[in-house]
Each structure stands twice: as structure tokens, then as C-alpha cells.
Amino acid sequence: MDGGIGRLGDEYYEAFLRRSPTTALMLGDHRFDDQMEDLSREQEDATISELRSFAARAEAIDPTNLTLQDRLSRDVLIFEASSTAELMETRQAEMEANPAMSVHVLLPTAVAQFPIMEPAHAEALVIKYGKMGAVGHQWADRLRQGVESGRTPPRLMAEKVVAQLDEYLASPIETDPLVVAVGPPSAFDSEATSAWKEQLADQVRDSIRPGFQDLRSALAEEVLPVARGEDKIGIKWTPGGEAAYQSAIFNYTSLDLAAEEIHQIGLDTIAALEDEYRELGSEVFGTSDLTEVYSHMKDDPELRFDSAEEVVAASQAALEKGKAAMGDWFGRLPKADCLVSTVEQGPEAFYFPPAQDGSRPGIFFMNVADPAGWTKYGIEATVFHEGIPGHHLQIAIAQELEDVPTFRKHSIVTAYAEGWGLYTERLSDEMGMYSSQLDRLGMLAADSMRATRLVVDTGMHALGW
């Protein structure tokens, strides 16, 4: 590896970990256990400047005599640093109100995965909890800045977050997931564990909940009165919104496509799927009429689950099928195991990578808050995407590579990350892993959902729907 790009990559990744101490902890790096992310505008400005500097330093390295891997490292660093800085410059934090993916939703799931292995880790976590309240205050401050700049979230999103915060703030401290879900180190006996949990509860009471109360007040009292209504749901209606959307397109796709082009790709993909629906619909439902096929898929109660236990059992069966087949199709397999777990908030399904120290396997989560929201034909495609041969093979193997720089092992370039997950839904069909023609309809439904996203997202944010 070229010393210049190698050292720069290491420095770049070290800076990322310093800015992202919770991610470092999730990966089993305990150097920043007592730290918490800084969401302030000042830190955002500093991060943008730092990323721009890294990109410029990488561009200054002459690629002519670099090896293929070093050229890739240089290009990835330039793309990741510059596109992230550009997106941050659009000040999306000023309108952050996401009921599926924001910190207030994901943090309770994350703490259950924290590798608290030693007493020192437990002690540091108490300090970290004491700093979590600042996240709520900083988030509230960013929203207030958004009110001043005219960047506000959609009203319906803000209302959902307020409702979530109300439910959380009204819940007993004793059942708070930030206290209950996190596990003690094995060295702690019951007395030490009880004392430690009480320290965490104190920080939740004195720091975290006041921070989220400030956030709730900012949303309800200052943001909601001026939030965007459904007639102006898209980002194009905010200052600089059209440029911000174009920055997002590049960041998430790595392509300089116009929104109108992406919109048409979605429409074309939806149309291209129709013949497959007709063919499978004839076999499964006895009709090739698209309206009837779609109606069966959406409205038949027999194709829905009745309980969370059924969702978990079906997910586990699909995961075991992937584990059994992967050795016949992949020359390199991950050392880390993959498990399925459940949540009752957040996205429909998502994956957490394993900790590098081996303390935690890869885990993908199925949201079982509404079991009837899951279709029986949709489970296998979801599991293959999130688990095996999807994100687990992709991300766990990347973390275990020895011949690439560390920052690339953990780099999440969305076009590749989600592109691989989507690709493996079809690959699983080639591997013969779908249990029935009905389950293969789930593969088509997943394709349709992604294609429809292209249409609806561009429709709202670029075309003014």
C-alpha cells in the first residue's frame, strides 16, 4: 500500500471514530466510550471543513503510480468525504424529524448491542449517558435554526416524533430501555449490577429525558406551527431545496442523474415487472389480471401474520436456509455469525454489523410492532436482503478483510450497500432458495417497492407532488 494514501486513510478513519463514538463502541473500539456525538452547528461546520480537507489531500496524491487497490482507496475517500460534506452543507439537520431513523428511535436498539465487557466499559457508559441529554438540546437548537432559515420538516413527520417523545417521556424510568436493555459486564454480581443500573437511571432522569423534553417542546411549540403541510411535503419547497436534493442524489447513488431521469427509471421498472407478475399470478392465484393479482397480495388476510412469534419463526427459517446454501455459492464466508432479532420501533427491517472484537455477531432486526403488516410472501426476500446472502455477507466479510485499509472495511457507500442487498434478492432466486412461487412474488414485491420509491421520492421532492 502506498504510504501516502495509506496514512491518509488511517487518519480519515480515526477522525470518523472521534466524531462517531457510539459507532466506535458498537464496533468494539472502547477508546471513546465516555463520549457522545455532537449535533451542534459548530461541530457540523468543523466536520465539513475536516472532510473537505481530507478530500483535497487525497486529490493531491498522484494516482499514476498507485496500485489498483490504492487508486480505489483514493477514489473512495474523495467520493465519501466530498459528497458527505456537500450534503451536510445543505443543512438537513435543521429539519430533522424522522420517526423511523432518528436517534431517539435507534438509540434504545443500539444500547442493547453495546459490548460492555469490563467494569471500565460500564463506568464509561454512565459518563456517556450523562452527555446524551446534550443530543436532545442540540437537536432542538438545530430545529430552531431551521425555523429561522425557513427549513422545516413536514408536519406529519414532526407530529409523529412528538407522539413518540410523549410516549417515551410518560413511561416509568424503571422500564426505560436505556436502562433495561443494556447488559452489565460479566464481572458484575447482582449487587454491582443493581448499583450500576441505578446510576444509568439517574442519568436518564437528570440528563437524557430533560434533553428530549426540550426537543419535544421545540417541535410542538416552535416547529409545528410553521412546518410544511402536505401540499408542500417535498424538500424543493425549502430554501436551497432543489440543490439539496441533487446533492442527495449524488451522495446516495454516486451518479450525476437528474431527478426526472430517476423518476422515469422507476416508471420503466414498474412496467417491466408486469409480465412477471402475470406469470406468477397465474400460478399462485389463478389469474393473470394485474389488478386481481395486486388485490390478492394486498388484501388477502390469509397472507398476513397473526403474531410476532410467527414472523420470527419464518425469518429464522429463511436465515437458516441462507446459511445452509452460502457455502456452495461463495468462496469466502464470514467468520462472524448472523442472528435475527426483533424491535417494535424504527424501520421495517435493518442490519447491525458484528463487533470487530467478536463480542457480538451480525444481527438483523425485524420490526414486529404490527405483525399483520408483514406478508407471508415478503419474509424470505427481506431476510435474504438483510441477512444472508445480503448485508451480512457483504458487511461482515468487508470488516474481516486484511488487504484493504480500515476505512474501506467500514465504508458504507449506499449505492453499493443497498445495491448489493437488492441484487441478492434476485440472486437468492438463482440459488433456488425461495420456498414457493408465492415467496417469489415477494421478490417481485421488493423490486416494486424500490421502483416505486424512485417515482414517489422524486415526485415529492423534485416534481412538487
Side-chain angles (χ1 to χ4, degrees), residues 299-363:
D299 302 327
D300 187 348
E302 293 299 315
L303 298 181
R304 301 282 171 168
F305 287 98
D306 296 321
S307 69
E309 290 75 16
E310 290 179 330
V311 175
V312 173
S315 302
Q316 188 63 51
L319 178 61
E320 293 304 320
K321 188 177 294 187
K323 289 181 179 181
M326 64 180 179
D328 295 330
W329 286 79
F330 294 90
R332 182 169 193 158
L333 302 178
K335 299 174 184 176
D337 195 8
C338 183
L339 305 178
V340 59
S341 188
T342 62
V343 292
E344 294 190 3
Q345 57 183 355
E348 184 179 64
F350 57 99
Y351 173 82
F352 272 4
Q356 284 192 290
D357 61 1
S359 59
R360 189 192 67 254
I363 302 174

Side-chain angles (χ1 to χ4, degrees), residues 13 16-17 20-37 103 105-117 121 125 128-129 132 178 181-183 336 341 343 350-365 395 399 410:
Y13 186 63
F16 165 75
L17 292 177
S20 312
T22 303
T23 299
L25 173 56
M26 290 288 290
L27 291 172
D29 184 337
H30 291 281
R31 292 176 298 155
F32 313 102
D33 282 5
D34 61 352
Q35 300 300 308
M36 191 62 195
E37 282 73 5
V103 63
V105 174
L106 295 181
L107 193 58
T109 301
V111 299
Q113 313 306 319
F114 285 173
I116 307 301
M117 311 299 291
H121 303 160
L125 189 65
K128 183 181 183 74
Y129 270 36
M132 283 184 184
L178 299 179
V182 64
S341 188
V343 292
F350 57 99
Y351 173 82
F352 272 4
Q356 284 192 290
D357 61 1
S359 59
R360 189 192 67 254
I363 302 174
F364 70 87
F365 294 87
I395 296 174
Q399 289 185 354
H410 301 282

Side-chain angles (χ1 to χ4, degrees), residues 84 110 439 441:
T84 301
D439 292 292
L441 272 173

Side-chain angles (χ1 to χ4, degrees), residues 404-420:
V404 298
T406 303
F407 87 90
R408 275 178 53 198
K409 295 179 184 181
H410 301 282
S411 179
I412 302 296
V413 178
T414 304
Y416 164 60
E418 292 306 326
W420 174 261

